[in-house]
Amino acid sequence: MLLAVDVGNSHTVLAVFDGDRVAGCWRVRTQPRATADELQLLWRGLLRDTEVTGVAACSTVPQLLPTLRQLLDRLEVPVTLIGPGVRTGVPLHVDNPREVGADRVVTALAAHELFGRRPDGTGRPVVVVDFGTSTTVDAVGPTGAFLGGALAPGVEVSLDALAARAAQLRSVELTVPTQAIGKNTVAALQSGVVLGFAGLVDGLVTRIAAELIAQFGVGPVVVATGGLHPLVVDSCRSIGEREPDLTVHGLRLAHQRHQAGGR
């Protein structure tokens, strides 16, 4: 089985694939100071007796990359660590391709393969909304090219920053409010954060979709992913699809392409 590991700023997602099917998935807190031995013990504890035949990984935490490489070098299976110089088959139509995070590249790959390809072989644009530490809204062209996107703070980051800077406000449980008009501080914060981010996403998607229609003559599929997507997605009017495991699916696809290319 293939192990896909997406190391994010807040959480690390590990998924085991049986073919193209997710056979198991775990989400743990990212520890930037973890050693290779600590990571290996964690992985073993989660995987138990699972026979891993390959590993695909990416990291958005530069501090953890040397440790991740050290662990991957110990493994006696084919390994693909996504980063500069590793071909994924995703053209990067941006000013500086090296600035694009590996997670955004493989997520774009999965978005195109799972949602952008039509049964007749033609393609359509995809907009990916990733709800994580940051909120990203990325555009993928009908041939699978990464076209760029928008970056905004994440829901939890914004709430923590507000609680830290405003003396009379505090962190609250993040839940979907029953109405927009909050009758107390907690309800008002929940409305502002959850519904406010839904409005932010809808506004960005509307603008990006208009640019894609002007360029390609067809509207995009809009897909939500990321660990915080269940909190906001139902309040968004612009999102039509959801796939919580989009990034690890992208790692699977990138690993398959990398191994098939013999690189």
Side-chain angles (χ1 to χ4, degrees):
M1 292 189 180
L2 175 70
L3 171 64
V5 183
D6 172 26
V7 181
N9 289 294
S10 298
H11 295 95
T12 295
V13 178
L14 299 94
V16 173
F17 284 92
D18 183 4
D20 60 359
R21 182 182 65 87
V22 177
C25 190
W26 304 269
R27 180 180 295 271
V28 297
R29 189 172 298 279
T30 298
Q31 302 291 346
R33 297 182 180 275
T35 66
D37 292 333
E38 290 171 332
L39 289 181
Q40 190 170 16
L41 284 172
L42 174 63
W43 292 14
R44 282 180 177 174
L46 294 173
L47 297 172
R48 297 183 180 272
D49 298 326
T50 302
E51 182 179 356
V52 174
T53 58
V55 179
C58 69
S59 174
T60 58
V61 185
Q63 183 179 352
L64 202 52
L65 265 175
T67 302
L68 183 60
R69 287 195 181 97
Q70 183 182 352
L71 174 55
L72 295 177
D73 287 342
R74 299 176 182 177
L75 305 179
E76 298 179 354
V77 296
V79 170
T80 303
L81 178 59
I82 306 300
V86 176
R87 296 185 180 274
T88 60
V90 179
L92 303 178
H93 293 180
V94 295
D95 294 339
N96 187 353
R98 298 182 71 88
E99 288 182 349
V100 182
D103 57 331
R104 295 173 76 189
V105 175
V106 296
T107 300
L109 173 59
H112 174 66
E113 293 295 331
L114 299 182
F115 296 96
R117 286 189 182 273
R118 290 192 175 103
D120 62 2
T122 61
R124 55 186 176 181
V126 182
V127 173
V128 181
V129 184
D130 192 341
F131 295 93
T133 303
S134 62
T135 302
T136 64
V137 185
D138 286 334
V140 183
T143 61
F146 178 84
L147 305 177
L151 297 172
V155 178
E156 288 183 339
V157 169
S158 296
L159 182 59
D160 290 344
L162 184 61
R165 295 292 295 273
Q168 294 187 7
L169 300 180
R170 60 189 185 277
S171 292
V172 300
E173 179 186 2
L174 282 174
T175 59
V176 180
T178 57
Q179 60 186 40
I181 302 175
K183 298 297 185 180
N184 52 65
T185 300
V186 170
L189 280 170
Q190 291 170 339
S191 175
V193 173
V194 177
L195 300 185
F197 265 87
L200 178 149
V201 167
D202 285 340
L204 286 173
V205 169
T206 298
R207 289 174 177 266
I208 290 173
E211 294 177 16
L212 292 172
I213 292 171
Q215 184 174 355
F216 300 110
V218 60
V221 182
V222 183
V223 185
T225 191
L228 293 176
H229 89 274
L231 176 67
V232 185
V233 68
D234 289 332
S235 301
C236 295
R237 299 173 180 176
S238 59
I239 295 175
E241 304 284 350
R242 63 183 77 186
E243 173 49 71
D245 301 319
L246 203 56
T247 303
V248 290
H249 273 289
L251 286 169
R252 170 182 62 82
L253 292 164
H255 179 77
Q256 292 172 351
R257 291 187 176 188
H258 185 75
Q259 296 302 316
R263 299 182 178 88

